Amino acid sequence: TMGRLDAAAFRQEIESALQSSEWFLRNAGLLAVQGDDRDRAVAWSVKLLKDPALMVRTQAVRNLMQLQAREFEPLLWKELNE
């Protein structure tokens, strides 16, 4: 997608996808936000760890792993144990 090629140029569209009521758009937003600023990508991934859709939560974990966001490992364990 265009967002994955140049996430900074498509921030508004990615932001809309991340806030969508449709799980597949939130999931696509997480895929696209990986190419953006690390802090922004990590923040959205952490936020969507509590998403109602399993696919979105799974992608949020994948993002954190790919971004090497080890500082959130305790949060991941907490979410897994709830």
Side-chain angles (χ1 to χ4, degrees):
T1 65
M2 296 304 291
R4 291 184 81 178
L5 294 175
D6 189 2
F10 291 93
R11 278 189 175 162
Q12 186 175 11
E13 290 82 0
I14 294 170
E15 192 84 16
S16 294
L18 290 165
Q19 296 176 22
S20 175
S21 61
E22 301 289 345
W23 71 266
F24 55 89
L25 290 175
R26 293 191 306 276
N27 195 66
L30 280 172
L31 288 168
V33 81
Q34 288 176 10
D36 202 350
D37 174 65
R38 182 186 184 277
D39 291 338
R40 186 168 179 267
V42 168
W44 271 108
S45 297
V46 168
K47 181 176 181 175
L48 291 177
L49 283 175
K50 295 180 185 276
D51 194 89
L54 176 61
M55 292 293 290
V56 175
R57 293 192 310 267
T58 302
Q59 186 58 50
V61 171
R62 286 183 182 145
N63 279 11
L64 292 172
M65 290 172 53
Q66 289 175 352
L67 295 164
Q68 297 182 1
R70 300 196 193 289
E71 64 271 25
F72 292 99
E73 186 175 343
L75 179 62
L76 288 173
W77 283 110
K78 180 181 177 230
E79 292 299 320
L80 284 171
N81 290 321
E82 287 186 359

